[in-house]
Amino acid sequence: MKVACVGGGPAGLYLSILLKRQDPSHDITVHERDPEGSTYGWGVTYWRGLLDKLHAHDPESARAIEEASVTWNQGEARVRDLVTRRPSDQGFGIGRHRLLEILAARARSLGVRLEYEHEITHGNVPAADLVVAGDGVRSTLRTGWADHFGARTEDGRNHYIWLGTSKVFDSFTFAFVETGHGWIWCYGYAFSPERSTVVVECAPPTWTGLGLDTAKEADGLALLEKLFAGILDGHPLIGRSTGSGSAQWLNFRTLTNRTWHRDNLVLLGDAAHTTHYSIGAGTTLALEDAIALADALRAHGELPVALGRYERQRKSELLAAQSAARYSAQWYENLPRYIDLPPEQMFALLGQRHSPLLPHIPPQLYYRIDRAAGQLEALRRLKRWLGPKVARGVQGRELASRK
């Protein structure tokens, strides 16, 4: 099969790896419009579940990704001058640039052609049995057949900016700072031994009140460094200047599509769907798309059947993540509802922000219910563990008494 992957992000590169592993005779080319080595963003996050899937599908690239990642197993929240830490599931961070290097090298080693600085539009689609549109949320290929795919976008209310820093966080760190114009907050996580990502977010009145809407990048970074001095420990924030000197504040764009394929063209990753950055799942979901598409192509010889199966499977699997992302974004948009709770309660509800019930129950009541449910579950686990031991002990005493 001849395959053209449009977009050299993690999803397109990983799909090319999986297809070459399935059948080395596949003729696969990845087309990327930007120069090799140029990428946006700082670090990406993922969790053990994704790493297990990567090891199952291509152990060589999985080992390289794991070795290049940093890990944490704690979360920290700072509200005003109060600090709360608690254990968390093991998280992983890796630089986006390093992730793409690993996947590109692995793809090349398997015989995939990588063509950089080669832009594909709906007017020059390569002749191929399968064309994969992995060219991001603003996909040119999807836009060329907009009526067919039925894309819908919804912009979030809050403003955010994606930054880097030389401060290396030892936990996934949240910091909430009160200003004269409202709250501003960030979350930071390490992605290498020398760097961390910092995502800063605030509501529109805070953004304009602080002058971040008009500040040049250098001035905005200086202000943010002062506001978050408590977690930066003197380290600078690093921006991504476009050359104009303007800061790249954004509103998150949630994308859905009515259908994901047209003839031999199929959508992958952010071209098909996006989920709010606050759940840290974008890269994971894109790689899972690649796994599902490769599996469907292997299982079904007929392309329309394979693409239909892929779309149905991934739409179903994404429902939980999309719901979690929607409620997570709303939690931040309604931050005043939670911010004055005692720190332990606020941090607990921060961890529960994906819940569809939380917006409809008073926060303190939800916290008490959640704690009670947690204690009941702990008692159930203790019972399951203790029951067989007690039973064996009783049985042993009964046998001894009979002798």
Side-chain angles (χ1 to χ4, degrees):
M1 182 168 62
K2 186 173 183 179
V3 181
C5 292
V6 180
L13 288 171
Y14 197 60
L15 176 65
S16 74
I17 291 168
L18 298 180
L19 293 180
K20 269 292 189 179
R21 278 176 52 83
Q22 288 177 9
D23 186 344
S25 70
H26 286 326
D27 180 354
I28 305 175
T29 303
V30 176
H31 304 267
E32 169 55 47
R33 65 184 171 214
D34 292 327
E36 184 169 7
S38 65
T39 183
Y40 68 89
W42 298 93
V44 299
T45 59
Y46 63 95
W47 279 261
R48 173 59 63 177
L50 174 68
L51 190 57
D52 291 343
K53 291 178 183 178
L54 299 182
H55 275 289
H57 286 84
D58 182 37
E60 184 167 331
S61 61
R63 283 192 296 269
I65 291 169
E66 186 171 12
E67 289 170 1
S69 299
V70 297
T71 67
W72 60 83
N73 55 19
Q74 279 195 322
E76 177 179 299
R78 298 187 177 217
V79 183
R80 299 186 178 96
D81 296 325
L82 302 173
V83 180
T84 302
R85 289 177 74 97
R86 60 191 296 177
S88 69
D89 293 337
Q90 185 181 29
F92 296 80
I94 184 172
R96 182 177 168 85
H97 184 275
R98 182 69 185 115
L99 175 62
L100 293 178
E101 280 185 338
I102 290 169
L103 295 178
R106 177 62 172 148
R108 279 197 177 106
S109 74
L110 293 170
V112 176
R113 285 189 301 277
L114 306 182
E115 296 190 2
Y116 291 93
E117 299 182 75
H118 189 196
E119 185 163 11
I120 301 296
T121 70
H122 69 284
N124 67 336
V125 178
D129 301 304
L130 175 66
V131 179
V132 181
D135 50 345
V137 65
R138 294 176 176 81
S139 169
T140 301
L141 292 186
R142 187 196 66 237
T143 303
W145 290 281
D147 290 343
H148 174 83
F149 288 109
R152 294 183 59 187
T153 59
E154 181 179 350
D155 288 342
R157 181 172 66 89
N158 287 352
H159 298 281
Y160 77 98
I161 189 168
W162 197 359
L163 303 170
T165 180
S166 54
K167 162 71 177 182
V168 180
F169 297 107
D170 62 358
S171 62
F172 200 104
T173 300
F174 302 86
F176 299 84
V177 175
E178 190 174 20
T179 76
H181 303 280
W183 288 88
I184 188 169
W185 56 94
C186 74
Y187 21 101
Y189 55 89
F191 64 84
S192 78
E194 300 85 25
R195 288 285 188 272
S196 295
T197 293
V198 176
V199 181
V200 180
E201 182 179 345
C202 62
T206 306
W207 187 59
T208 55
L210 292 173
L212 293 169
D213 57 328
T214 57
K216 293 294 186 181
E217 183 179 56
D219 296 331
L221 292 180
L223 174 57
L224 295 176
E225 286 168 0
K226 290 179 182 178
L227 291 172
F228 296 108
I231 64 166
L232 291 173
D233 298 327
H235 289 265
L237 290 171
I238 307 166
R240 183 170 66 95
S241 178
T242 59
S244 66
S246 60
Q248 295 193 355
W249 287 90
L250 302 167
N251 298 88
F252 187 80
R253 177 172 292 181
T254 299
L255 167 74
T256 58
N257 283 279
R258 183 179 60 248
T259 184
W260 288 15
H261 62 96
R262 176 187 182 274
D263 298 331
N264 69 331
L265 172 63
V266 64
L267 306 180
L268 189 73
D270 283 355
H273 55 82
T274 61
T275 54
H276 194 264
Y277 54 83
S278 62
I279 67 168
T283 299
T284 293
L285 297 177
L287 293 174
E288 289 176 344
D289 281 357
I291 292 170
L293 179 54
D295 286 348
L297 290 168
R298 182 184 61 229
H300 299 281
E302 295 184 10
L303 189 62
V305 176
L307 299 186
R309 173 187 166 177
Y310 157 71
E311 177 179 329
R312 289 190 299 274
Q313 176 186 336
R314 288 305 290 152
K315 280 188 172 182
S316 175
E317 292 171 345
L318 281 165
L319 289 175
Q322 289 171 331
S323 174
R326 184 169 60 255
Y327 286 109
S328 179
Q330 290 175 4
W331 191 94
Y332 287 106
E333 291 177 352
N334 292 285
L335 182 68
R337 187 172 190 260
Y338 309 101
I339 197 66
D340 289 323
L341 293 171
E344 183 63 29
Q345 295 185 23
M346 188 268 188
F347 198 8
L349 295 189
L350 175 62
Q352 290 286 321
R353 65 188 183 276
H354 313 131
S355 168
L357 296 177
L358 182 55
H360 306 290
I361 297 176
Q364 288 187 321
L365 175 59
Y366 186 99
Y367 174 77
R368 290 195 294 271
I369 293 172
D370 186 62
R371 270 186 65 87
Q375 290 168 352
L376 286 173
E377 179 57 30
L379 288 173
R380 292 190 190 100
R381 288 197 299 268
L382 177 62
K383 183 179 178 181
R384 287 195 296 269
W385 174 81
L386 192 58
K389 292 180 179 296
V390 173
R392 285 194 296 270
V394 170
Q395 185 181 37
R397 287 194 295 273
E398 288 178 346
L399 290 172
S401 67
R402 293 171 187 168
K403 292 181 179 179

